[in-house]
Amino acid sequence: MAKIDGPPVMVNACTGKMGNAVAEAAVRAGLQLVPFSFTGESEAVAIGNIGVSGIPVELVPPEVRQQALEDVRRDYPGLIIIDYTLPQAVNDNASFYSRNGIPFVMGTTGGDRDQLRADVEASGVYAVIAPQMGKQVVAFQATMQMMADQFPGAFAGYKLEVEESHQRSKVDTSGTAKAIVASFRQLGIHFADNEIQKVRDPMAQVDHMHVPENALQGHAFHTYSLRSPDGSVGFQFQHNVCGREIYAEGSVDAVLFLYQQIQQQTQQRLFSMIDVLRAGAMR
Ligand SMILES: NC(=O)C1=CN([C@@H]2O[C@H](COP(=O)(O)OP(=O)(O)OC[C@H]3O[C@@H](n4cnc5c(N)ncnc54)[C@H](O)[C@@H]3O)[C@@H](O)[C@H]2O)C=CC1
Ligand SMILES: O=C(O)C1=N[C@H](C(=O)O)C[C@H](O)C1
């Protein structure tokens, strides 16, 4: 694989479905994969190491991560971390990377998002934080935000229904759905995040959300339905993704974008995936 002009990349956690997918995408893109990965305690002890595209990656448990990161920073100068762990780890991992001055791409959803942004902003570390890394879904997300910015309150009085379907193992409510619902609230619709319907039953996913059976273990099907107060006007928006390729490729674009910002020492240091799209930073 030809090497490209980019940073070494550390993926936490290569043991995860998304972490593994993005580590493979980084290698495919010609980036050097750091052969260490922070992971949830059980895997590190039980598995020891994992192969990514033929590269043996050593799994590091949380209790030795500080020394491990210092070693990695010494041996792989200029590295950028990609985090796809779990919601309960988001804030602590981001603070850990920030304390150590390591730039990162945070794809993990959940946690305290306001605190996450505040802590990263205060630290001055370079980072991209986004609950959605799939470029075309981000374009849809940005379009909804632009409509809300341009026409606040335009849908006041409308009723909204949101259904998001993911693999059964997904513990949290979709961060993408929450971001798009925030735009609907700006458009005047009264709707709380806890009203988002999580579809996790495989039969309902196939019969009601029309998820292909071969995508049940990795999909993201979202439907947003709007109805006017008198029921005479309706809208429906959908974004349906099978697999994880779209997020993995977008994450690599985010890494290359962040690498450029660091090289240019830009004043802005905290970015969203909409910033990455606006910069045209896509292969
Ligand atoms: N931004 C985006 O476009 C996307 C975001 N995601 C998000 O990525 C996250 C992971 O999703 P999956 O890979 O499907 O989950 P998963 O359960 O397959 O993998 C999570 C991995 O994180 C590890 N982990 C848990 N705590 C950790 C810690 N403190 N430090 C290091 N590793 C730790 C676990 O051992 C596990 O291997 C979720 O929050 C999901 O919503 C997933 C796909 C796309
Ligand atoms: O967990 C997933 O798989 C995904 N999570 C993200 C989210 O919570 O919005 C992005 C996408 O839906 C896939």
Side-chain angles (χ1 to χ4, degrees):
M1 173 62 63
K3 294 292 181 201
I4 61 170
D5 177 25
V9 170
M10 178 183 202
V11 176
N12 304 323
C14 286
T15 46
K17 296 181 286 293
M18 192 57 225
N20 197 269
V22 74
E24 290 181 343
V27 172
R28 261 198 320 274
L31 292 171
Q32 181 184 20
L33 180 68
V34 170
F36 295 90
S37 181
F38 298 134
T39 187
E41 201 149 351
S42 54
E43 286 98 333
V45 174
I47 303 172
N49 64 52
I50 187 173
V52 175
S53 305
I55 301 165
V57 175
E58 186 175 331
L59 303 180
V60 180
E63 66 269 16
V64 294
R65 69 179 185 176
Q66 181 59 48
Q67 185 55 56
L69 188 56
E70 288 166 19
D71 295 343
V72 162
R73 178 168 44 195
R74 180 196 62 233
D75 299 338
Y76 299 90
L79 85 147
I80 291 180
I81 289 176
I82 303 177
D83 188 289
Y84 280 106
T85 53
L86 286 176
Q88 66 258 30
V90 162
N91 293 91
D92 179 57
N93 282 2
S95 296
F96 174 59
Y97 305 148
S98 302
R99 267 198 316 276
N100 284 277
I102 307 289
F104 64 93
V105 171
M106 178 56 77
T108 311
T109 53
D112 182 333
R113 303 307 278 192
D114 292 338
Q115 192 65 54
L116 173 64
R117 277 185 288 273
D119 291 349
V120 174
E121 191 95 62
S123 77
V125 77
Y126 278 89
V128 176
I129 297 176
Q132 174 60 240
M133 293 281 179
K135 295 186 283 283
Q136 289 73 28
V137 183
V138 174
F140 171 76
Q141 180 188 347
T143 301
M144 300 308 288
Q145 187 52 53
M146 286 186 275
M147 177 165 66
D149 290 341
Q150 288 293 312
F151 312 112
F155 283 79
Y158 271 62
K159 289 279 178 285
L160 172 65
E161 267 191 25
V162 180
E163 296 170 293
E164 58 93 333
S165 175
H166 286 80
Q167 58 283 352
R168 199 167 210 163
S169 61
K170 182 172 176 60
V171 292
D172 62 327
T173 298
S174 162
T176 306
K178 289 178 181 175
I180 291 172
V181 159
S183 297
F184 280 126
R185 279 195 285 266
Q186 203 177 329
L187 285 161
I189 296 168
H190 294 293
F191 190 90
D193 286 351
N194 61 18
E195 295 180 78
I196 297 171
Q197 297 170 52
K198 293 196 302 183
V199 183
R200 297 290 184 268
D201 170 57
M203 195 175 292
Q205 292 174 334
V206 172
D207 295 344
H208 177 63
M209 301 296 283
H210 308 301
V211 177
E213 294 212 19
N214 64 7
L216 285 173
Q217 299 309 318
H219 72 276
F221 276 40
H222 296 65
T223 300
Y224 310 84
S225 305
L226 291 162
R227 179 66 58 186
S228 65
D230 67 0
S232 64
V233 180
F235 292 81
Q236 196 166 76
F237 302 93
Q238 284 190 341
H239 51 90
N240 299 332
V241 174
C242 294
R244 296 179 174 89
E245 195 76 10
I246 186 174
Y247 317 123
E249 292 303 321
S251 303
V252 172
D253 290 320
V255 163
L256 295 172
F257 165 83
L258 199 58
Y259 175 67
Q260 284 176 350
Q261 307 316 302
I262 295 166
Q263 300 289 96
Q264 294 162 19
Q265 281 297 293
T266 53
Q267 188 175 358
Q268 182 180 352
R269 296 193 171 199
L270 176 54
F271 301 93
S272 68
M273 204 53 196
I274 296 176
D275 292 317
V276 176
L277 258 62
R278 287 212 170 99
M282 293 164 289
R283 292 159 293 148

Coordinates of all heavy atoms in Angstrom, one line a residue, residues 52-128:
V52 N -5.1 -6.3 12.5 CA -5.8 -5.3 11.7 C -5.1 -5.3 10.3 O -3.9 -4.8 10.2 CB -5.9 -3.9 12.3 CG1 -6.5 -3.0 11.3 CG2 -6.6 -3.9 13.6
S53 N -5.8 -5.8 9.3 CA -5.2 -5.9 7.9 C -3.8 -6.5 8.0 O -2.8 -6.0 7.4 CB -5.1 -4.5 7.3 OG -6.4 -3.9 7.3
G54 N -3.6 -7.5 8.8 CA -2.3 -8.2 8.9 C -1.3 -7.6 9.9 O -0.2 -8.1 10.1
I55 N -1.7 -6.4 10.5 CA -0.8 -5.7 11.4 C -1.2 -6.2 12.9 O -2.4 -6.0 13.3 CB -1.0 -4.2 11.3 CG1 -0.6 -3.8 9.9 CG2 -0.1 -3.5 12.3 CD1 -1.0 -2.4 9.6
P56 N -0.3 -6.8 13.6 CA -0.6 -7.1 15.0 C -0.7 -5.9 15.9 O 0.3 -5.1 15.9 CB 0.6 -8.0 15.4 CG 1.7 -7.7 14.5 CD 1.1 -7.2 13.2
V57 N -1.8 -5.6 16.5 CA -2.0 -4.5 17.4 C -2.2 -4.9 18.8 O -3.0 -5.8 19.1 CB -3.3 -3.7 16.9 CG1 -3.6 -2.5 17.9 CG2 -3.2 -3.2 15.5
E58 N -1.3 -4.4 19.7 CA -1.3 -4.8 21.1 C -2.4 -4.0 21.8 O -2.5 -2.8 21.7 CB 0.1 -4.5 21.7 CG 0.2 -5.1 23.2 CD 1.6 -4.9 23.7 OE1 2.5 -4.9 22.9 OE2 1.7 -4.7 25.0
L59 N -3.2 -4.8 22.6 CA -4.3 -4.1 23.3 C -3.8 -3.7 24.7 O -3.1 -4.4 25.4 CB -5.5 -5.1 23.5 CG -6.0 -5.7 22.2 CD1 -7.2 -6.6 22.5 CD2 -6.5 -4.6 21.3
V60 N -4.2 -2.4 25.0 CA -3.7 -1.8 26.3 C -4.9 -1.6 27.2 O -5.8 -0.9 26.9 CB -3.0 -0.5 26.0 CG1 -2.5 0.2 27.3 CG2 -1.8 -0.7 25.0
P61 N -4.8 -2.1 28.4 CA -5.9 -1.9 29.4 C -5.9 -0.5 30.0 O -4.8 0.1 30.0 CB -5.7 -3.0 30.4 CG -4.3 -3.3 30.4 CD -3.8 -3.1 29.0
P62 N -7.0 0.0 30.5 CA -7.0 1.4 31.0 C -5.9 1.7 32.1 O -5.4 2.8 32.1 CB -8.4 1.5 31.6 CG -9.2 0.5 30.9 CD -8.3 -0.6 30.5
E63 N -5.6 0.7 32.9 CA -4.7 1.1 34.1 C -3.3 1.4 33.7 O -2.6 2.0 34.4 CB -4.8 0.0 35.1 CG -4.2 -1.3 34.7 CD -5.2 -2.3 34.1 OE1 -6.3 -1.7 33.8 OE2 -5.0 -3.5 34.0
V64 N -2.9 1.0 32.5 CA -1.5 1.3 32.1 C -1.5 2.3 30.9 O -0.5 2.5 30.2 CB -0.7 0.1 31.7 CG1 -0.5 -0.8 33.0 CG2 -1.4 -0.7 30.6
R65 N -2.6 3.0 30.6 CA -2.7 3.8 29.4 C -1.8 5.0 29.4 O -1.3 5.4 28.4 CB -4.1 4.2 29.1 CG -4.7 5.2 30.1 CD -6.2 5.5 29.7 NE -6.7 6.6 30.6 CZ -7.9 7.1 30.4 NH1 -8.7 6.8 29.5 NH2 -8.3 8.1 31.3
Q66 N -1.5 5.6 30.6 CA -0.7 6.8 30.6 C 0.7 6.5 30.1 O 1.3 7.1 29.3 CB -0.6 7.4 32.0 CG 0.2 8.7 32.1 CD -0.3 9.8 31.2 OE1 -1.5 10.1 31.2 NE2 0.6 10.4 30.5
Q67 N 1.4 5.5 30.7 CA 2.7 5.1 30.3 C 2.7 4.7 28.8 O 3.6 5.1 28.1 CB 3.3 4.0 31.1 CG 4.8 3.6 30.8 CD 5.7 4.9 30.9 OE1 5.7 5.5 32.0 NE2 6.4 5.2 29.8
A68 N 1.7 4.0 28.4 CA 1.6 3.5 27.0 C 1.5 4.7 26.1 O 2.2 4.7 25.0 CB 0.4 2.6 26.9
L69 N 0.7 5.7 26.4 CA 0.6 6.9 25.5 C 1.9 7.6 25.5 O 2.3 8.1 24.4 CB -0.5 7.8 26.0 CG -0.9 8.9 25.1 CD1 -1.2 8.4 23.7 CD2 -2.1 9.7 25.6
E70 N 2.6 7.7 26.6 CA 3.9 8.4 26.5 C 4.9 7.7 25.6 O 5.6 8.3 24.8 CB 4.5 8.5 28.0 CG 3.7 9.6 28.8 CD 4.0 9.5 30.3 OE1 5.1 8.9 30.6 OE2 3.2 10.0 31.1
D71 N 4.9 6.3 25.7 CA 5.7 5.6 24.8 C 5.3 5.7 23.3 O 6.2 5.9 22.4 CB 5.7 4.1 25.2 CG 6.2 3.8 26.6 OD1 6.9 4.7 27.1 OD2 5.9 2.7 27.1
V72 N 4.0 5.7 23.1 CA 3.5 5.8 21.7 C 3.9 7.2 21.2 O 4.3 7.3 20.0 CB 2.0 5.6 21.7 CG1 1.4 6.1 20.4 CG2 1.7 4.1 21.8
R73 N 3.7 8.3 22.0 CA 4.0 9.6 21.5 C 5.5 9.7 21.1 O 5.9 10.4 20.1 CB 3.7 10.7 22.5 CG 4.0 12.1 22.1 CD 3.4 13.2 22.9 NE 3.6 12.9 24.4 CZ 2.9 13.5 25.3 NH1 2.0 14.4 24.9 NH2 3.0 13.2 26.6
R74 N 6.3 9.1 21.9 CA 7.8 9.1 21.6 C 8.1 8.3 20.3 O 8.9 8.8 19.5 CB 8.6 8.4 22.8 CG 10.1 8.4 22.6 CD 10.7 7.4 23.6 NE 10.2 6.0 23.4 CZ 9.7 5.2 24.3 NH1 9.6 5.7 25.6 NH2 9.3 4.0 24.0
D75 N 7.5 7.2 20.1 CA 7.8 6.3 19.0 C 7.1 6.7 17.7 O 7.5 6.3 16.6 CB 7.6 4.9 19.3 CG 8.4 4.4 20.5 OD1 9.5 5.0 20.8 OD2 8.0 3.4 21.2
Y76 N 5.9 7.4 17.9 CA 5.1 7.8 16.7 C 4.8 9.3 16.7 O 3.7 9.7 17.0 CB 3.9 7.0 16.6 CG 4.1 5.5 16.5 CD1 4.3 4.7 17.7 CD2 4.3 4.9 15.3 CE1 4.6 3.4 17.6 CE2 4.6 3.5 15.2 CZ 4.8 2.8 16.4 OH 5.1 1.4 16.3
P77 N 5.8 10.1 16.6 CA 5.6 11.6 16.8 C 4.6 12.1 15.8 O 4.5 11.6 14.6 CB 7.0 12.2 16.5 CG 7.8 11.1 15.9 CD 7.2 9.8 16.3
G78 N 3.7 13.0 16.2 CA 2.7 13.6 15.3 C 1.5 12.8 15.2 O 0.6 13.1 14.3
L79 N 1.3 11.8 16.0 CA 0.2 10.9 15.9 C -1.2 11.6 16.1 O -1.2 12.6 16.8 CB 0.3 9.7 16.8 CG -0.3 9.8 18.2 CD1 -0.8 8.5 18.7 CD2 0.8 10.3 19.1
I80 N -2.2 11.1 15.5 CA -3.6 11.5 15.7 C -4.4 10.3 16.2 O -4.2 9.2 15.6 CB -4.2 12.2 14.5 CG1 -3.5 13.5 14.2 CG2 -5.7 12.4 14.7 CD1 -4.1 14.3 13.0
I81 N -5.2 10.4 17.2 CA -6.0 9.3 17.7 C -7.4 9.4 17.2 O -7.9 10.5 17.0 CB -6.0 9.4 19.3 CG1 -4.7 9.0 19.9 CG2 -7.1 8.5 19.8 CD1 -4.6 9.2 21.4
I82 N -7.9 8.2 16.8 CA -9.3 8.1 16.5 C -10.0 7.3 17.6 O -9.6 6.2 17.9 CB -9.5 7.4 15.1 CG1 -8.8 8.1 14.0 CG2 -11.0 7.3 14.8 CD1 -8.9 7.4 12.6
D83 N -11.1 7.9 18.1 CA -11.8 7.2 19.2 C -13.2 6.8 18.8 O -14.0 7.5 18.4 CB -11.9 8.2 20.4 CG -12.5 7.5 21.7 OD1 -13.7 7.2 21.7 OD2 -11.7 7.3 22.7
Y84 N -13.3 5.4 18.8 CA -14.6 4.8 18.7 C -14.7 3.8 19.8 O -14.3 2.6 19.7 CB -14.8 4.1 17.4 CG -15.1 5.0 16.2 CD1 -14.2 5.4 15.3 CD2 -16.4 5.6 16.1 CE1 -14.5 6.2 14.2 CE2 -16.7 6.4 15.1 CZ -15.8 6.8 14.1 OH -16.1 7.6 13.1
T85 N -15.1 4.3 21.0 CA -15.2 3.4 22.2 C -16.7 3.3 22.6 O -17.5 2.8 21.8 CB -14.3 4.0 23.3 OG1 -14.7 5.4 23.6 CG2 -12.8 4.0 23.0
L86 N -17.0 3.8 23.8 CA -18.4 3.7 24.2 C -18.8 5.0 24.9 O -18.0 5.7 25.4 CB -18.7 2.5 25.1 CG -18.7 1.1 24.4 CD1 -18.8 0.0 25.5 CD2 -19.8 1.0 23.4
P87 N -20.2 5.3 24.9 CA -20.6 6.6 25.5 C -20.1 6.8 26.9 O -19.7 7.9 27.3 CB -22.1 6.4 25.5 CG -22.4 5.5 24.3 CD -21.3 4.6 24.3
Q88 N -19.9 5.7 27.7 CA -19.5 6.0 29.1 C -18.0 6.4 29.2 O -17.5 6.8 30.2 CB -19.7 4.7 30.0 CG -18.9 3.5 29.6 CD -19.7 2.5 28.8 OE1 -20.6 2.9 28.1 NE2 -19.3 1.2 28.9
A89 N -17.3 6.2 28.0 CA -15.9 6.5 28.0 C -15.5 7.9 27.4 O -14.4 8.3 27.4 CB -15.1 5.4 27.3
V90 N -16.5 8.5 26.7 CA -16.3 9.6 25.9 C -15.6 10.8 26.6 O -14.5 11.2 26.2 CB -17.6 10.1 25.3 CG1 -17.5 11.6 24.8 CG2 -18.1 9.3 24.1
N91 N -16.2 11.2 27.7 CA -15.6 12.4 28.4 C -14.2 12.1 29.0 O -13.3 12.9 28.8 CB -16.6 12.9 29.5 CG -17.9 13.5 28.8 OD1 -18.8 12.7 28.6 ND2 -17.9 14.7 28.5
D92 N -14.1 11.0 29.6 CA -12.8 10.6 30.2 C -11.7 10.5 29.2 O -10.6 11.0 29.3 CB -12.9 9.3 31.0 CG -11.6 8.9 31.7 OD1 -11.0 9.8 32.4 OD2 -11.0 7.9 31.4
N93 N -12.0 9.8 28.1 CA -11.0 9.6 27.0 C -10.6 10.9 26.4 O -9.4 11.2 26.2 CB -11.6 8.7 25.9 CG -11.5 7.2 26.4 OD1 -11.1 6.9 27.5 ND2 -11.9 6.3 25.5
A94 N -11.6 11.8 26.1 CA -11.3 13.1 25.5 C -10.4 13.9 26.4 O -9.4 14.6 26.0 CB -12.6 13.9 25.2
S95 N -10.7 13.9 27.8 CA -9.9 14.6 28.7 C -8.5 14.0 28.8 O -7.5 14.8 28.9 CB -10.5 14.5 30.1 OG -11.8 15.2 30.1
F96 N -8.4 12.7 28.7 CA -7.1 12.0 28.7 C -6.2 12.4 27.5 O -5.0 12.8 27.7 CB -7.3 10.5 28.8 CG -6.0 9.7 28.6 CD1 -5.0 9.8 29.6 CD2 -5.9 8.8 27.6 CE1 -3.9 9.0 29.4 CE2 -4.7 8.0 27.5 CZ -3.7 8.1 28.4
Y97 N -6.8 12.4 26.3 CA -6.1 12.8 25.1 C -5.7 14.3 25.3 O -4.5 14.7 25.0 CB -6.9 12.6 23.9 CG -7.5 11.3 23.7 CD1 -8.7 11.1 23.0 CD2 -6.8 10.1 24.1 CE1 -9.3 9.8 22.8 CE2 -7.4 8.8 23.9 CZ -8.6 8.7 23.2 OH -9.1 7.5 23.0
S98 N -6.6 15.1 25.7 CA -6.4 16.6 25.8 C -5.2 16.9 26.8 O -4.3 17.6 26.5 CB -7.6 17.3 26.2 OG -8.7 17.1 25.3
R99 N -5.3 16.2 28.0 CA -4.3 16.4 29.0 C -2.9 16.1 28.5 O -1.9 16.7 28.8 CB -4.5 15.5 30.2 CG -5.3 16.0 31.3 CD -5.2 15.2 32.6 NE -5.2 13.8 32.5 CZ -6.3 13.0 32.4 NH1 -7.5 13.6 32.4 NH2 -6.3 11.7 32.3
N100 N -2.8 15.1 27.6 CA -1.5 14.7 27.0 C -1.2 15.4 25.7 O -0.2 15.1 25.0 CB -1.6 13.2 26.8 CG -1.4 12.4 28.1 OD1 -0.3 12.2 28.6 ND2 -2.5 12.0 28.7
G101 N -2.1 16.4 25.3 CA -1.8 17.2 24.1 C -1.8 16.4 22.8 O -1.2 16.7 21.8
I102 N -2.6 15.3 22.8 CA -2.7 14.5 21.6 C -3.9 14.8 20.8 O -5.1 14.7 21.3 CB -2.7 13.0 21.9 CG1 -1.6 12.6 22.9 CG2 -2.7 12.1 20.6 CD1 -0.2 12.6 22.2
P103 N -3.8 15.3 19.5 CA -5.0 15.6 18.7 C -5.8 14.4 18.4 O -5.2 13.3 18.3 CB -4.4 16.2 17.4 CG -3.0 15.9 17.4 CD -2.5 15.5 18.8
F104 N -7.1 14.5 18.3 CA -7.9 13.3 18.1 C -9.2 13.6 17.3 O -9.6 14.8 17.2 CB -8.3 12.7 19.5 CG -9.1 13.6 20.4 CD1 -10.5 13.5 20.4 CD2 -8.6 14.5 21.2 CE1 -11.3 14.3 21.2 CE2 -9.3 15.3 22.0 CZ -10.7 15.2 22.0
V105 N -9.7 12.5 16.8 CA -11.0 12.5 16.1 C -12.0 11.7 17.0 O -11.7 10.5 17.2 CB -10.9 11.9 14.7 CG1 -12.3 11.7 14.1 CG2 -10.1 12.8 13.8
M106 N -13.0 12.4 17.5 CA -13.9 11.7 18.5 C -15.2 11.3 17.7 O -16.0 12.2 17.4 CB -14.3 12.6 19.6 CG -15.3 12.0 20.6 SD -14.8 10.4 21.3 CE -13.6 10.9 22.5
G107 N -15.3 10.0 17.4 CA -16.5 9.6 16.7 C -17.5 8.9 17.6 O -18.7 8.8 17.3
T108 N -17.1 8.6 18.8 CA -17.9 8.0 19.8 C -19.1 8.9 20.2 O -18.8 10.1 20.3 CB -17.1 7.6 21.1 OG1 -16.0 6.9 20.7 CG2 -18.0 6.8 22.0
T109 N -20.3 8.4 20.3 CA -21.4 9.2 20.6 C -21.7 9.2 22.1 O -21.1 8.5 22.9 CB -22.7 8.7 19.9 OG1 -22.8 7.3 20.2 CG2 -22.5 8.9 18.4
G110 N -22.7 10.0 22.5 CA -23.1 10.0 23.9 C -22.2 10.7 24.9 O -21.4 11.5 24.4
G111 N -22.3 10.4 26.1 CA -21.6 11.2 27.1 C -22.2 12.6 27.3 O -23.3 12.9 26.8
D112 N -21.5 13.5 28.0 CA -21.9 14.9 28.2 C -21.3 15.7 27.1 O -20.2 16.1 27.2 CB -21.5 15.4 29.6 CG -22.0 16.8 29.9 OD1 -22.2 17.6 28.9 OD2 -22.2 17.1 31.1
R113 N -22.1 16.0 26.0 CA -21.5 16.6 24.8 C -21.1 18.1 25.1 O -20.1 18.5 24.6 CB -22.5 16.6 23.6 CG -23.0 15.2 23.3 CD -21.9 14.2 23.0 NE -21.3 14.3 21.7 CZ -20.5 13.3 21.1 NH1 -20.2 12.3 21.9 NH2 -20.0 13.5 19.9
D114 N -21.9 18.8 25.9 CA -21.5 20.2 26.2 C -20.2 20.2 27.0 O -19.3 21.0 26.6 CB -22.6 20.9 27.0 CG -23.9 21.1 26.2 OD1 -23.8 21.1 24.9 OD2 -25.0 21.2 26.7
Q115 N -20.1 19.3 27.9 CA -18.8 19.2 28.7 C -17.7 18.8 27.8 O -16.6 19.4 28.0 CB -19.0 18.2 29.9 CG -17.9 18.3 30.9 CD -17.9 19.6 31.7 OE1 -18.9 20.0 32.2 NE2 -16.8 20.3 31.7
L116 N -18.0 17.9 26.9 CA -16.9 17.4 26.0 C -16.3 18.6 25.2 O -15.1 18.8 25.2 CB -17.5 16.4 25.1 CG -16.7 15.8 23.9 CD1 -15.5 15.1 24.4 CD2 -17.6 14.9 23.0
R117 N -17.2 19.4 24.6 CA -16.8 20.5 23.8 C -16.1 21.5 24.6 O -15.0 22.1 24.3 CB -18.0 21.1 23.0 CG -18.3 20.4 21.8 CD -19.4 21.2 21.0 NE -20.7 21.0 21.7 CZ -21.5 20.0 21.5 NH1 -21.2 19.1 20.6 NH2 -22.7 20.0 22.2
A118 N -16.6 21.8 25.8 CA -16.0 22.8 26.7 C -14.6 22.4 27.1 O -13.6 23.2 27.1 CB -16.9 23.0 27.9
D119 N -14.4 21.1 27.5 CA -13.1 20.7 28.0 C -12.1 20.7 26.9 O -11.0 21.1 27.0 CB -13.3 19.2 28.5 CG -14.0 19.1 29.8 OD1 -14.3 20.2 30.4 OD2 -14.4 18.0 30.3
V120 N -12.5 20.3 25.7 CA -11.6 20.2 24.6 C -11.2 21.6 24.1 O -10.0 21.9 23.9 CB -12.2 19.4 23.4 CG1 -11.3 19.4 22.2 CG2 -12.4 17.9 23.8
E121 N -12.2 22.5 24.1 CA -11.9 23.9 23.7 C -10.9 24.5 24.7 O -10.0 25.2 24.3 CB -13.3 24.7 23.8 CG -13.2 26.1 23.2 CD -13.6 26.1 21.7 OE1 -14.8 25.8 21.4 OE2 -12.8 26.4 20.8
A122 N -11.2 24.3 26.0 CA -10.3 24.9 27.0 C -8.9 24.4 27.0 O -7.9 25.1 27.3 CB -10.9 24.6 28.4
S123 N -8.7 23.1 26.5 CA -7.4 22.5 26.5 C -6.5 23.0 25.4 O -5.3 22.9 25.4 CB -7.5 21.0 26.4 OG -7.8 20.6 25.0
G124 N -7.2 23.5 24.3 CA -6.4 24.0 23.1 C -5.9 22.9 22.2 O -5.2 23.1 21.3
V125 N -6.4 21.6 22.5 CA -5.9 20.5 21.6 C -6.7 20.6 20.3 O -7.8 21.0 20.3 CB -6.1 19.2 22.4 CG1 -7.6 18.7 22.3 CG2 -5.2 18.1 21.8
Y126 N -6.1 20.1 19.2 CA -6.8 20.0 17.9 C -7.7 18.8 18.0 O -7.2 17.7 18.4 CB -5.8 19.9 16.8 CG -5.2 21.2 16.4 CD1 -4.0 21.8 16.9 CD2 -5.8 22.0 15.3 CE1 -3.5 23.0 16.5 CE2 -5.3 23.2 14.9 CZ -4.1 23.7 15.5 OH -3.6 24.9 15.1
A127 N -8.9 18.9 17.5 CA -9.9 17.8 17.6 C -11.0 18.0 16.6 O -11.4 19.2 16.3 CB -10.4 17.6 19.0
V128 N -11.5 16.9 16.1 CA -12.8 16.9 15.3 C -13.7 16.0 16.2 O -13.4 14.9 16.6 CB -12.6 16.2 13.9 CG1 -14.0 16.1 13.3 CG2 -11.7 17.0 13.1

